[in-house]
Amino acid sequence: MKENTITYNNGIINVPDNPVLLYIEGDGIGPDIWRGAREVMDRAVETAYSGSRKVIWKEILAGGKAKDATGEWLPEESLNQIEKYKIAIKGPLTTPVGGGMRSINVALRQRFRLHSCIRPVRYFKGVPSPVKWPEHVDMVIFRENMEDLYSGIEWKAGSPEAEKVLAFLNGEMGQSIAADSGIGVKPISARNTKNLMRNAVRYAINHNRKSVTIMHKGNIMKYTEGAFRDWCYEAAKDEFPENTITEKELKEKYNRIQPEGKVVIKDRIADALFQEIIIHPLNYDVIAAPNLNGDYISDALAALVGGLGIAPGANIGDNHAIFEATHGTAPDIAGEDIANPGSLILSGEMMLRYLGWDKAADLIIEAFEKTISEGKVTLDLSSQMERVSSLKSSEFGRAVAENIKA
Ligand code: NAI
Protein backbone atom coordinates (compact mmCIF):
# COMPACT_ATOMS: atom_id res chain seq x y z
CA MET A 1 0.00 0.00 0.00
CA LYS A 2 1.31 3.45 -0.87
CA GLU A 3 2.31 5.49 2.18
CA ASN A 4 0.54 8.83 2.25
CA THR A 5 1.33 11.93 4.18
CA ILE A 6 -1.20 14.19 5.87
CA THR A 7 -0.79 17.86 4.96
CA TYR A 8 -2.19 21.19 6.12
CA ASN A 9 -3.07 24.01 3.80
CA ASN A 10 -3.77 27.32 5.57
CA GLY A 11 -4.90 25.43 8.65
CA ILE A 12 -7.12 22.99 6.71
CA ILE A 13 -6.08 19.37 7.07
CA ASN A 14 -5.88 17.13 4.03
CA VAL A 15 -6.11 13.41 4.81
CA PRO A 16 -5.39 10.70 2.22
CA ASP A 17 -7.22 7.35 2.41
CA ASN A 18 -4.12 5.51 3.63
CA PRO A 19 -2.45 8.02 5.96
CA VAL A 20 0.62 7.26 8.02
CA LEU A 21 -0.24 7.81 11.67
CA LEU A 22 2.57 7.79 14.19
CA TYR A 23 2.35 6.16 17.59
CA ILE A 24 4.43 6.24 20.74
CA GLU A 25 3.67 3.28 22.99
CA GLY A 26 4.62 5.15 26.16
CA ASP A 27 6.01 4.13 29.53
CA GLY A 28 4.34 2.26 32.40
CA ILE A 29 0.86 1.14 31.35
CA GLY A 30 1.46 2.57 27.84
CA PRO A 31 2.03 -0.79 26.07
CA ASP A 32 -0.97 -2.38 27.88
CA ILE A 33 -3.40 0.31 26.76
CA TRP A 34 -1.93 0.89 23.30
CA ARG A 35 -2.64 -2.69 22.14
CA GLY A 36 -6.37 -2.36 22.84
CA ALA A 37 -6.59 1.13 21.37
CA ARG A 38 -4.97 0.09 18.10
CA GLU A 39 -7.17 -2.98 17.74
CA VAL A 40 -10.31 -0.88 18.27
CA MET A 41 -9.25 1.87 15.84
CA ASP A 42 -8.35 -0.64 13.12
CA ARG A 43 -11.63 -2.49 13.52
CA ALA A 44 -13.64 0.74 13.42
CA VAL A 45 -11.91 1.99 10.26
CA GLU A 46 -12.27 -1.38 8.54
CA THR A 47 -15.96 -1.64 9.49
CA ALA A 48 -16.77 1.94 8.51
CA TYR A 49 -14.96 2.01 5.16
CA SER A 50 -14.65 -1.69 4.10
CA GLY A 51 -11.00 -1.31 3.15
CA SER A 52 -11.27 1.90 1.14
CA ARG A 53 -9.54 3.68 4.05
CA LYS A 54 -6.84 2.17 6.22
CA VAL A 55 -4.29 3.56 8.69
CA ILE A 56 -0.61 2.82 8.13
CA TRP A 57 0.79 2.74 11.68
CA LYS A 58 4.39 3.79 12.18
CA GLU A 59 6.07 3.58 15.58
CA ILE A 60 8.31 6.35 16.83
CA LEU A 61 10.34 6.19 20.00
CA ALA A 62 10.14 8.41 23.07
CA GLY A 63 10.53 7.86 26.81
CA GLY A 64 12.04 4.74 28.36
CA LYS A 65 11.85 2.67 25.16
CA ALA A 66 13.78 5.38 23.28
CA LYS A 67 16.36 5.73 26.05
CA ASP A 68 17.03 1.96 25.98
CA ALA A 69 17.29 1.83 22.19
CA THR A 70 19.10 5.09 21.40
CA GLY A 71 20.38 6.61 24.66
CA GLU A 72 18.02 9.60 24.14
CA TRP A 73 14.67 10.21 25.85
CA LEU A 74 13.32 12.05 22.82
CA PRO A 75 15.42 11.26 19.72
CA GLU A 76 15.68 13.86 16.96
CA GLU A 77 14.49 11.20 14.51
CA SER A 78 11.13 10.97 16.32
CA LEU A 79 10.76 14.75 16.09
CA ASN A 80 11.56 14.63 12.38
CA GLN A 81 8.89 12.00 11.87
CA ILE A 82 6.27 14.15 13.63
CA GLU A 83 7.38 17.12 11.55
CA LYS A 84 6.80 15.05 8.42
CA TYR A 85 3.68 13.04 9.22
CA LYS A 86 1.90 15.70 11.39
CA ILE A 87 -0.33 13.47 13.51
CA ALA A 88 0.60 11.12 16.35
CA ILE A 89 -1.06 9.26 19.18
CA LYS A 90 0.90 8.54 22.30
CA GLY A 91 0.82 6.62 25.55
CA PRO A 92 1.92 8.37 28.75
CA LEU A 93 5.58 9.21 29.41
CA THR A 94 7.35 9.34 32.76
CA THR A 95 8.54 12.68 34.13
CA PRO A 96 10.62 12.53 37.31
CA VAL A 97 9.57 14.86 40.16
CA GLY A 98 12.21 17.34 41.37
CA GLY A 99 15.38 16.78 39.35
CA GLY A 100 16.06 14.75 36.21
CA MET A 101 15.12 15.61 32.65
CA ARG A 102 12.38 18.01 31.63
CA SER A 103 8.99 16.64 30.67
CA ILE A 104 8.97 15.05 27.21
CA ASN A 105 5.27 15.86 27.00
CA VAL A 106 5.90 19.55 27.58
CA ALA A 107 8.81 19.46 25.11
CA LEU A 108 6.57 17.96 22.39
CA ARG A 109 3.83 20.51 23.01
CA GLN A 110 6.29 23.39 22.79
CA ARG A 111 8.26 22.09 19.81
CA PHE A 112 5.17 21.64 17.61
CA ARG A 113 3.32 24.63 19.06
CA LEU A 114 0.41 22.47 20.19
CA HIS A 115 -1.28 25.40 21.85
CA SER A 116 -4.64 23.87 22.73
CA CYS A 117 -5.22 20.78 24.83
CA ILE A 118 -8.78 19.54 24.38
CA ARG A 119 -10.33 17.16 26.88
CA PRO A 120 -13.96 16.14 26.56
CA VAL A 121 -15.54 14.83 29.77
CA ARG A 122 -18.84 13.03 29.38
CA TYR A 123 -20.86 10.34 31.03
CA PHE A 124 -21.17 6.85 29.59
CA LYS A 125 -24.19 4.90 30.81
CA GLY A 126 -23.18 2.29 33.35
CA VAL A 127 -20.02 4.02 34.53
CA PRO A 128 -19.77 4.40 38.33
CA SER A 129 -19.84 7.95 39.75
CA PRO A 130 -19.68 9.63 43.17
CA VAL A 131 -22.31 12.23 42.15
CA LYS A 132 -26.09 12.00 41.99
CA TRP A 133 -26.57 12.98 38.35
CA PRO A 134 -23.42 12.08 36.45
CA GLU A 135 -25.41 12.30 33.21
CA HIS A 136 -25.41 16.08 33.73
CA VAL A 137 -21.63 16.15 33.28
CA ASP A 138 -20.88 16.98 29.67
CA MET A 139 -18.01 19.43 29.37
CA VAL A 140 -15.03 20.06 27.13
CA ILE A 141 -11.90 21.54 28.64
CA PHE A 142 -9.68 23.73 26.44
CA ARG A 143 -6.40 23.96 28.31
CA GLU A 144 -3.61 26.33 27.19
CA ASN A 145 -0.75 23.98 26.54
CA MET A 146 2.56 25.84 26.29
CA GLU A 147 2.83 28.61 28.86
CA ASP A 148 2.07 29.38 32.48
CA LEU A 149 4.07 27.61 35.18
CA TYR A 150 4.67 24.81 32.66
CA SER A 151 7.02 26.89 30.55
CA GLY A 152 9.94 25.28 32.38
CA ILE A 153 11.55 28.58 33.37
CA GLU A 154 12.71 27.86 36.88
CA TRP A 155 15.85 27.90 38.99
CA LYS A 156 16.86 25.76 41.90
CA ALA A 157 17.22 27.42 45.32
CA GLY A 158 20.83 28.43 45.93
CA SER A 159 21.89 28.12 42.25
CA PRO A 160 23.84 31.03 40.72
CA GLU A 161 20.88 31.66 38.38
CA ALA A 162 18.40 31.86 41.29
CA GLU A 163 20.76 34.17 43.14
CA LYS A 164 21.04 36.43 40.12
CA VAL A 165 17.26 36.61 39.68
CA LEU A 166 16.79 37.22 43.40
CA ALA A 167 19.39 39.98 43.37
CA PHE A 168 17.44 41.67 40.58
CA LEU A 169 14.02 41.19 42.18
CA ASN A 170 15.08 42.17 45.69
CA GLY A 171 17.51 44.86 44.56
CA GLU A 172 16.01 46.61 41.54
CA MET A 173 12.37 45.63 41.88
CA GLY A 174 11.99 46.26 45.60
CA GLN A 175 10.87 42.76 46.56
CA SER A 176 11.84 40.86 49.71
CA ILE A 177 11.96 37.23 48.63
CA ALA A 178 13.69 34.79 51.00
CA ALA A 179 17.25 34.01 49.89
CA ASP A 180 16.70 30.24 50.04
CA SER A 181 13.80 30.29 47.52
CA GLY A 182 13.50 28.33 44.32
CA ILE A 183 12.14 30.57 41.57
CA GLY A 184 9.64 29.80 38.79
CA VAL A 185 8.28 32.14 36.12
CA LYS A 186 4.65 32.23 34.99
CA PRO A 187 4.35 33.77 31.53
CA ILE A 188 0.89 34.05 29.96
CA SER A 189 0.70 35.78 26.58
CA ALA A 190 -2.14 37.49 24.74
CA ARG A 191 -1.30 35.50 21.61
CA ASN A 192 -1.55 32.02 23.12
CA THR A 193 -4.55 32.95 25.22
CA LYS A 194 -6.42 34.23 22.18
CA ASN A 195 -5.46 31.16 20.13
CA LEU A 196 -6.93 28.97 22.85
CA MET A 197 -10.09 31.04 23.25
CA ARG A 198 -10.62 31.16 19.49
CA ASN A 199 -10.54 27.36 19.39
CA ALA A 200 -12.83 27.06 22.40
CA VAL A 201 -15.45 29.49 21.05
CA ARG A 202 -15.29 28.03 17.56
CA TYR A 203 -15.84 24.57 19.03
CA ALA A 204 -18.78 25.85 21.10
CA ILE A 205 -20.40 27.45 18.04
CA ASN A 206 -19.86 24.43 15.78
CA HIS A 207 -21.15 21.96 18.35
CA ASN A 208 -24.14 23.99 19.59
CA ARG A 209 -22.68 24.35 23.05
CA LYS A 210 -24.34 26.83 25.41
CA SER A 211 -21.39 28.53 27.06
CA VAL A 212 -17.65 29.01 27.36
CA THR A 213 -16.46 29.56 30.93
CA ILE A 214 -13.09 31.25 31.43
CA MET A 215 -11.38 29.66 34.46
CA HIS A 216 -8.85 31.88 36.21
CA LYS A 217 -7.40 33.06 39.50
CA GLY A 218 -7.22 36.66 38.32
CA ASN A 219 -8.18 38.11 41.68
CA ILE A 220 -4.73 37.11 42.97
CA MET A 221 -2.54 36.85 39.82
CA LYS A 222 -3.78 39.97 38.07
CA TYR A 223 -1.35 40.30 35.18
CA THR A 224 -1.25 36.63 34.24
CA GLU A 225 -4.57 34.95 35.10
CA GLY A 226 -6.45 38.25 35.24
CA ALA A 227 -5.07 39.15 31.84
CA PHE A 228 -6.01 35.65 30.61
CA ARG A 229 -9.61 36.42 31.53
CA ASP A 230 -9.56 39.82 29.82
CA TRP A 231 -7.91 38.51 26.63
CA CYS A 232 -10.43 35.66 26.43
CA TYR A 233 -13.33 38.12 26.63
CA GLU A 234 -11.63 40.30 24.02
CA ALA A 235 -11.10 37.37 21.63
CA ALA A 236 -14.75 36.34 21.89
CA LYS A 237 -16.01 39.90 21.37
CA ASP A 238 -13.62 40.83 18.55
CA GLU A 239 -13.67 37.57 16.60
CA PHE A 240 -17.19 36.24 17.19
CA PRO A 241 -19.36 39.32 17.78
CA GLU A 242 -22.42 37.76 16.11
CA ASN A 243 -22.23 34.44 17.91
CA THR A 244 -21.39 35.35 21.50
CA ILE A 245 -22.86 37.36 24.38
CA THR A 246 -21.50 37.84 27.89
CA GLU A 247 -23.26 36.55 30.98
CA LYS A 248 -23.86 40.20 31.97
CA GLU A 249 -25.63 40.82 28.64
CA LEU A 250 -27.66 37.66 29.13
CA LYS A 251 -29.02 39.08 32.38
CA GLU A 252 -29.39 42.72 31.39
CA LYS A 253 -30.44 42.52 27.74
CA TYR A 254 -32.05 39.11 27.43
CA ASN A 255 -33.68 38.67 30.85
CA ARG A 256 -31.61 35.48 31.40
CA ILE A 257 -33.19 33.71 28.42
CA GLN A 258 -30.42 32.52 26.14
CA PRO A 259 -31.08 33.61 22.55
CA GLU A 260 -30.86 30.97 19.84
CA GLY A 261 -27.43 30.72 18.21
CA LYS A 262 -25.51 32.71 20.84
CA VAL A 263 -22.83 31.21 23.06
CA VAL A 264 -22.66 32.79 26.53
CA ILE A 265 -19.16 33.80 27.63
CA LYS A 266 -18.65 33.87 31.38
CA ASP A 267 -15.83 33.58 33.86
CA ARG A 268 -15.34 31.90 37.20
CA ILE A 269 -12.55 32.04 39.74
CA ALA A 270 -10.72 28.71 39.70
CA ASP A 271 -11.42 27.51 43.24
CA ALA A 272 -15.12 28.35 42.97
CA LEU A 273 -15.35 26.49 39.68
CA PHE A 274 -14.19 23.28 41.37
CA GLN A 275 -17.27 23.39 43.59
CA GLU A 276 -19.53 24.50 40.75
CA ILE A 277 -18.73 21.60 38.40
CA ILE A 278 -19.78 19.21 41.16
CA ILE A 279 -22.89 21.02 42.39
CA HIS A 280 -24.19 22.59 39.16
CA PRO A 281 -22.65 20.68 36.25
CA LEU A 282 -25.50 21.65 33.92
CA ASN A 283 -24.33 25.28 34.08
CA TYR A 284 -20.94 24.44 32.53
CA ASP A 285 -20.14 23.39 29.04
CA VAL A 286 -16.88 24.43 27.34
CA ILE A 287 -14.18 25.56 29.81
CA ALA A 288 -11.17 27.67 28.72
CA ALA A 289 -8.31 27.47 31.21
CA PRO A 290 -4.66 28.41 31.57
CA ASN A 291 -2.27 25.48 31.67
CA LEU A 292 -2.13 24.66 35.38
CA ASN A 293 -5.81 25.23 36.14
CA GLY A 294 -6.67 23.12 33.10
CA ASP A 295 -4.48 20.30 34.36
CA TYR A 296 -6.12 20.24 37.79
CA ILE A 297 -9.71 20.52 36.63
CA SER A 298 -9.23 17.77 34.02
CA ASP A 299 -8.61 15.12 36.68
CA ALA A 300 -11.35 16.46 38.98
CA LEU A 301 -13.92 16.38 36.18
CA ALA A 302 -12.79 12.93 35.07
CA ALA A 303 -13.45 11.66 38.61
CA LEU A 304 -17.14 12.58 38.30
CA VAL A 305 -17.65 10.21 35.38
CA GLY A 306 -15.52 7.12 35.92
CA GLY A 307 -12.03 8.54 36.44
CA LEU A 308 -8.80 8.87 34.53
CA GLY A 309 -9.05 5.41 32.98
CA ILE A 310 -11.56 6.75 30.44
CA ALA A 311 -10.38 10.36 30.09
CA PRO A 312 -9.11 11.16 26.58
CA GLY A 313 -7.32 14.20 25.18
CA ALA A 314 -5.85 15.95 22.17
CA ASN A 315 -3.03 18.49 21.81
CA ILE A 316 -3.79 20.61 18.78
CA GLY A 317 -1.64 23.16 16.99
CA ASP A 318 -2.00 24.85 13.63
CA ASN A 319 0.00 22.22 11.71
CA HIS A 320 0.33 19.21 13.99
CA ALA A 321 -1.71 17.28 16.52
CA ILE A 322 -0.81 14.71 19.16
CA PHE A 323 -3.53 12.68 20.85
CA GLU A 324 -3.03 11.26 24.32
CA ALA A 325 -4.89 10.23 27.46
CA THR A 326 -5.24 12.69 30.35
CA HIS A 327 -3.49 10.35 32.81
CA GLY A 328 0.14 9.42 33.36
CA THR A 329 2.08 6.15 33.35
CA ALA A 330 0.26 4.69 36.40
CA PRO A 331 3.39 3.02 37.79
CA ASP A 332 1.31 1.37 40.54
CA ILE A 333 -0.36 -0.96 37.99
CA ALA A 334 2.15 -0.97 35.11
CA GLY A 335 2.76 -4.28 33.33
CA GLU A 336 -0.17 -6.03 35.05
CA ASP A 337 -2.56 -5.90 32.08
CA ILE A 338 -5.24 -4.33 34.31
CA ALA A 339 -5.18 -0.67 33.21
CA ASN A 340 -8.16 0.73 31.39
CA PRO A 341 -7.38 1.25 27.69
CA GLY A 342 -10.56 3.36 27.43
CA SER A 343 -8.62 6.62 27.77
CA LEU A 344 -6.49 5.83 24.73
CA ILE A 345 -9.37 4.23 22.79
CA LEU A 346 -11.33 7.47 23.23
CA SER A 347 -8.24 9.55 22.35
CA GLY A 348 -8.12 7.47 19.15
CA GLU A 349 -11.78 8.27 18.60
CA MET A 350 -10.92 11.99 18.86
CA MET A 351 -8.09 11.50 16.38
CA LEU A 352 -10.30 9.79 13.81
CA ARG A 353 -12.90 12.56 14.18
CA TYR A 354 -10.14 15.16 13.75
CA LEU A 355 -9.18 13.43 10.48
CA GLY A 356 -12.80 13.74 9.38
CA TRP A 357 -13.42 9.98 9.71
CA ASP A 358 -16.60 10.51 11.71
CA LYS A 359 -18.20 7.21 10.76
CA ALA A 360 -15.35 5.24 12.34
CA ALA A 361 -15.37 7.54 15.37
CA ASP A 362 -19.12 7.06 15.86
CA LEU A 363 -18.69 3.28 15.74
CA ILE A 364 -16.12 3.49 18.56
CA ILE A 365 -18.42 5.54 20.79
CA GLU A 366 -21.33 3.12 20.20
CA ALA A 367 -19.20 0.06 20.90
CA PHE A 368 -17.59 1.63 23.95
CA GLU A 369 -20.95 2.51 25.48
CA LYS A 370 -22.35 -0.93 24.69
CA THR A 371 -19.37 -2.72 26.27
CA ILE A 372 -19.67 -0.77 29.52
CA SER A 373 -23.44 -1.19 29.67
CA GLU A 374 -22.87 -4.97 29.40
CA GLY A 375 -20.89 -4.69 32.66
CA LYS A 376 -17.61 -5.40 30.89
CA VAL A 377 -15.13 -3.08 32.59
CA THR A 378 -11.56 -3.01 33.91
CA LEU A 379 -10.58 -2.89 37.58
CA ASP A 380 -10.59 0.92 37.94
CA LEU A 381 -14.35 0.90 37.21
CA SER A 382 -15.36 -2.46 38.72
CA SER A 383 -13.77 -1.43 42.04
CA GLN A 384 -16.30 1.42 42.22
CA MET A 385 -19.22 -0.87 41.31
CA GLU A 386 -21.05 -3.63 43.15
CA ARG A 387 -21.04 -7.28 42.03
CA VAL A 388 -19.06 -6.65 38.85
CA SER A 389 -15.95 -8.64 38.00
CA SER A 390 -13.18 -7.02 36.02
CA LEU A 391 -11.66 -7.67 32.61
CA LYS A 392 -7.96 -7.45 31.82
CA SER A 393 -6.86 -4.49 29.65
CA SER A 394 -6.51 -6.79 26.67
CA GLU A 395 -9.93 -8.39 27.25
CA PHE A 396 -11.63 -5.00 27.47
CA GLY A 397 -9.98 -3.83 24.24
CA ARG A 398 -11.12 -7.03 22.53
CA ALA A 399 -14.67 -6.66 23.90
CA VAL A 400 -14.95 -3.12 22.49
CA ALA A 401 -13.52 -4.24 19.13
CA GLU A 402 -16.02 -7.11 18.95
CA ASN A 403 -18.90 -4.71 19.65
CA ILE A 404 -18.04 -2.68 16.56
CA LYS A 405 -20.71 -3.66 14.07
CA ALA A 406 -21.57 -2.14 10.71
P1 NAI B 1 -1.24 8.80 36.82
O1 NAI B 1 -2.23 9.52 36.01
O2 NAI B 1 -0.26 7.96 36.13
O3 NAI B 1 -2.00 7.88 37.89
C1 NAI B 1 -2.94 8.39 38.85
C2 NAI B 1 -3.85 7.26 39.31
O4 NAI B 1 -4.76 6.92 38.26
C3 NAI B 1 -3.09 5.97 39.66
O5 NAI B 1 -3.71 5.36 40.78
C4 NAI B 1 -3.28 5.11 38.42
O6 NAI B 1 -3.24 3.72 38.67
C5 NAI B 1 -4.65 5.55 37.92
N1 NAI B 1 -4.76 5.41 36.46
C6 NAI B 1 -4.22 6.23 35.54
N2 NAI B 1 -4.49 5.79 34.31
C7 NAI B 1 -5.23 4.67 34.45
C8 NAI B 1 -5.81 3.74 33.53
N3 NAI B 1 -5.72 3.89 32.20
N4 NAI B 1 -6.49 2.68 34.03
C9 NAI B 1 -6.62 2.52 35.34
N5 NAI B 1 -6.10 3.36 36.27
C10 NAI B 1 -5.40 4.43 35.83
O7 NAI B 1 -0.51 9.93 37.70
P2 NAI B 1 0.84 9.90 38.53
O8 NAI B 1 0.95 8.61 39.28
O9 NAI B 1 0.80 11.16 39.28
O10 NAI B 1 2.00 10.02 37.46
C11 NAI B 1 2.81 8.94 37.03
C12 NAI B 1 3.80 9.42 35.99
O11 NAI B 1 3.11 9.83 34.79
C13 NAI B 1 4.66 10.65 36.39
O12 NAI B 1 5.98 10.42 35.93
C14 NAI B 1 4.03 11.79 35.65
O13 NAI B 1 4.94 12.82 35.38
C15 NAI B 1 3.60 11.10 34.37
N6 NAI B 1 2.49 11.78 33.66
C16 NAI B 1 2.54 11.75 32.29
C17 NAI B 1 1.53 12.31 31.55
C18 NAI B 1 1.59 12.21 30.08
O14 NAI B 1 2.37 11.45 29.53
N7 NAI B 1 0.79 12.98 29.36
C19 NAI B 1 0.36 12.99 32.20
C20 NAI B 1 0.37 12.90 33.66
C21 NAI B 1 1.42 12.34 34.34
Side-chain angles (χ1 to χ4, degrees):
M1 196 181 303
K2 188 172 170 285
E3 272 195 5
N4 283 310
T5 313
I6 290 171
T7 53
Y8 285 84
N9 191 0
N10 285 332
I12 309 286
I13 191 167
N14 178 14
V15 183
D17 286 337
N18 301 311
V20 172
L21 295 180
L22 304 172
Y23 70 92
I24 296 168
E25 263 193 351
D27 299 324
I29 57 172
D32 285 349
I33 61 174
W34 166 246
R35 276 187 289 276
R38 177 175 173 162
E39 183 175 351
V40 168
M41 282 185 275
D42 282 339
R43 176 79 75 107
V45 171
E46 169 63 27
T47 307
Y49 307 114
S50 315
S52 66
R53 285 178 172 166
K54 189 174 184 332
V55 173
I56 301 173
W57 294 110
K58 190 164 190 171
E59 181 171 14
I60 53 170
L61 299 180
K65 201 169 175 181
K67 178 83 176 143
D68 291 345
T70 69
E72 302 277 327
W73 293 102
L74 183 57
E76 197 56 32
E77 175 56 16
S78 299
L79 298 172
N80 293 340
Q81 294 284 309
I82 299 174
E83 193 52 70
K84 176 172 179 193
Y85 290 110
K86 314 291 183 201
I87 309 287
I89 183 165
K90 64 175 277 292
L93 296 168
T94 306
T95 309
V97 176
M101 86 283 189
R102 279 195 59 205
S103 164
I104 300 170
N105 301 306
V106 172
L108 285 170
R109 291 167 198 165
Q110 293 188 344
R111 163 80 182 239
F112 295 104
R113 295 201 57 76
L114 306 174
H115 46 70
S116 304
C117 175
I118 305 170
R119 292 176 166 170
V121 184
R122 55 165 285 191
Y123 173 68
F124 286 98
K125 200 161 174 275
V127 158
S129 167
V131 295
K132 221 192 264 174
W133 292 295
E135 61 276 18
H136 290 178
V137 177
D138 184 8
M139 299 178 214
V140 184
I141 302 157
F142 279 71
R143 168 190 173 194
E144 196 287 322
N145 223 11
M146 294 167 57
E147 306 190 319
D148 197 354
L149 290 167
Y150 279 69
S151 59
I153 309 170
E154 53 176 7
W155 298 284
K156 195 174 173 176
S159 66
E161 293 84 358
E163 279 173 14
K164 203 168 174 183
V165 176
L166 281 175
F168 169 69
L169 291 174
N170 288 341
E172 288 186 44
M173 302 301 284
Q175 303 298 324
S176 46
I177 303 168
D180 57 354
S181 302
I183 301 283
V185 177
K186 179 181 171 80
I188 291 192
S189 71
R191 175 180 154 182
N192 271 27
T193 301
K194 289 183 177 185
N195 275 343
L196 177 86
M197 188 62 175
R198 181 177 310 117
N199 283 341
V201 176
R202 196 178 284 146
Y203 179 94
I205 294 168
N206 291 343
H207 293 83
N208 289 321
R209 294 287 189 155
K210 284 201 171 76
S211 65
V212 176
T213 302
I214 306 158
M215 177 189 190
H216 64 91
K217 190 77 185 168
N219 50 334
I220 306 296
M221 292 167 270
K222 298 181 192 301
Y223 304 125
T224 49
E225 304 229 352
F228 177 88
R229 183 196 73 158
D230 295 347
W231 288 323
C232 282
Y233 274 120
E234 258 174 56
K237 187 163 175 257
D238 293 347
E239 300 181 38
F240 305 96
E242 302 300 323
N243 305 94
T244 60
I245 52 170
T246 62
E247 191 174 40
K248 191 161 178 270
E249 288 169 328
L250 179 68
K251 277 184 208 153
E252 292 172 1
K253 277 200 207 156
Y254 298 94
N255 201 20
R256 293 177 200 270
I257 298 166
Q258 185 159 355
E260 192 71 23
K262 305 262 191 208
V263 174
V264 175
I265 309 295
K266 52 190 173 182
D267 75 280
R268 294 290 181 272
I269 293 195
D271 39 346
L273 189 60
F274 273 93
Q275 121 152 334
E276 279 291 282
I277 54 164
I278 296 169
I279 301 181
H280 300 121
L282 281 177
N283 291 348
Y284 299 94
D285 203 330
V286 175
I287 295 175
N291 209 336
L292 186 61
N293 294 342
D295 193 8
Y296 289 159
I297 202 146
S298 296
D299 285 29
L301 264 175
L304 304 183
V305 286
L308 286 173
I310 54 171
N315 302 295
I316 308 284
D318 295 333
N319 295 301
H320 300 86
I322 300 182
F323 295 79
E324 65 174 342
T326 294
H327 61 72
T329 56
D332 48 340
I333 55 171
E336 294 184 43
D337 195 23
I338 58 172
N340 194 337
S343 55
L344 206 55
I345 291 173
L346 295 174
S347 302
E349 181 272 334
M350 289 180 80
M351 179 170 73
L352 295 175
R353 210 173 284 286
Y354 179 80
L355 300 181
W357 294 11
D358 284 18
K359 200 168 166 195
D362 290 345
L363 288 176
I364 292 179
I365 294 288
E366 279 164 29
F368 191 80
E369 202 148 31
K370 182 159 189 281
T371 308
I372 288 177
S373 68
E374 290 168 349
K376 294 179 181 161
V377 293
T378 43
L379 184 62
D380 54 321
L381 297 185
S382 69
S383 62
Q384 303 176 60
M385 299 158 92
E386 280 170 34
R387 291 185 295 279
V388 174
S389 56
S390 52
L391 299 187
K392 298 263 182 210
S393 310
S394 45
E395 292 168 337
F396 179 75
R398 176 71 35 85
V400 176
E402 284 171 358
N403 271 334
I404 292 177
K405 303 266 160 57

